[in-house]
Amino acid sequence: MASSLLNASRNLVRNALRSPTSSVPAVRAAAISTSLSRDSASAHFKSPFVGQSKGADIPDFGKYKSSVPSDRNALYGYFMVGTMAAMSAAGAKSTVHEFLVNMAASADVLAMAKVEVDLATVPEGKNVIIKWRGKPIFVRHRTADEIAEANKVNVSKLRHSEADSDRAKKPEWLVMIGVCTHLGCVPIGEAGDYGGWFCPCHGSHYDISGRIRKGPAPLNLEIPEYDFPEEGKLVIG
Ligand code: FES
């Protein structure tokens, strides 16, 4: 039974293919037509060139263009850039100012930055020691003989060649940091082989100009920043 049905259907298909007027091609054409209509239903893109003879021309996008004039757009851009730059500069200035205020020396430290000395209190031929920024400062009121002795030294023979005139702004006033240049001891005044200062730690001798003359110290006693703003007044620092 099944085989007879199969043979009948085969014969029907063969006859349909042989005869173009039969009803089977109509069914196949209908199937193709259905497939085409489904494709056209999904293709919804509408070309801007449809119906135009000049298909290779650049399409007109004028309807997408901003209606605001272009110079007004540029002005808005400049305004925004300028505002952001001004705000950034103000922020940077504030940050740097805060940093500098925090890092600045406090009032008590600034008060110690300079020390004022009344020179009338230092008699000729005497030393005074003043504390400045945690260091001892030697101030010597030199006599005329001491000045002459400091100047008669052959500077070229010194370990650290310095003329007395380069170490004292006023010959009668010698101002030095009282720290031995060997290992930092405080030398003793009016002592040593050269009538100046002597460091007992390892035996360095300094002359009346504070120059190293004997012992292990490599350099003369250091001269700090100082000035004489008015007669009889010394300001160190
Ligand atoms: S520290 Fe002055 S001689 Fe050594």
Side-chain angles (χ1 to χ4, degrees):
M1 180 68 178
S3 65
S4 62
L5 278 176
L6 185 59
N7 288 333
S9 64
R10 279 178 185 161
N11 291 332
L12 183 62
V13 170
R14 273 191 211 115
N15 291 334
L17 290 174
R18 281 180 196 146
S19 170
T21 58
S22 69
S23 61
V24 175
V27 173
R28 189 170 55 189
I32 292 168
S33 167
T34 305
S35 167
L36 283 174
S37 67
R38 190 170 56 225
D39 288 347
S40 63
S42 64
H44 59 275
F45 174 70
K46 197 173 177 186
S47 170
F49 306 110
V50 170
Q52 293 187 15
S53 58
K54 297 184 264 184
D57 286 354
I58 297 172
D60 180 14
F61 293 105
K63 66 179 179 180
Y64 301 109
K65 195 175 169 187
S66 170
S67 58
V68 180
S70 61
D71 57 341
R72 199 190 300 174
N73 280 339
L75 276 176
Y76 179 72
Y78 295 151
F79 172 74
M80 289 304 292
V81 169
T83 304
M84 291 304 292
M87 289 174 67
S88 303
K93 177 182 173 283
S94 171
T95 305
V96 171
H97 182 261
E98 287 295 320
F99 177 75
L100 291 178
V101 166
N102 280 334
M103 294 298 290
S106 57
D108 56 334
V109 173
L110 285 176
M112 290 295 295
K114 289 181 184 286
V115 173
E116 192 175 299
V117 182
D118 182 5
L119 295 176
T121 60
V122 187
E124 192 179 45
K126 292 293 178 189
N127 289 331
V128 293
I129 301 176
I130 293 153
K131 192 176 173 188
W132 173 70
R133 296 183 185 174
K135 297 174 187 170
I137 299 294
F138 296 163
V139 179
R140 171 115 187 142
H141 191 175
R142 296 193 296 188
T143 64
D145 288 347
E146 289 171 345
I147 295 167
E149 186 186 334
N151 280 306
K152 77 179 182 191
V153 174
N154 185 353
V155 175
S156 63
K157 295 245 170 79
L158 295 177
R159 183 181 303 169
H160 181 187
S161 297
E162 264 188 324
D164 185 65
S165 57
D166 293 336
R167 295 178 53 79
K169 290 184 179 179
K170 288 186 176 182
E172 64 270 31
W173 294 106
L174 180 64
V175 184
M176 305 181 295
I177 296 176
V179 176
C180 180
T181 58
H182 181 222
L183 292 175
C185 288
V186 177
I188 300 165
E190 299 174 3
D193 294 352
Y194 295 86
W197 288 263
F198 172 67
C199 181
C201 294
H202 309 94
S204 289
H205 298 251
Y206 298 90
D207 68 13
I208 196 62
S209 187
R211 295 172 295 202
I212 181 64
R213 303 293 294 274
K214 191 169 141 187
L219 298 170
N220 302 334
L221 291 177
E222 190 182 345
I223 306 294
E225 282 289 318
Y226 70 92
D227 200 7
F228 300 98
E230 59 188 70
E231 194 59 37
K233 188 178 283 185
L234 166 68
V235 173
I236 303 165

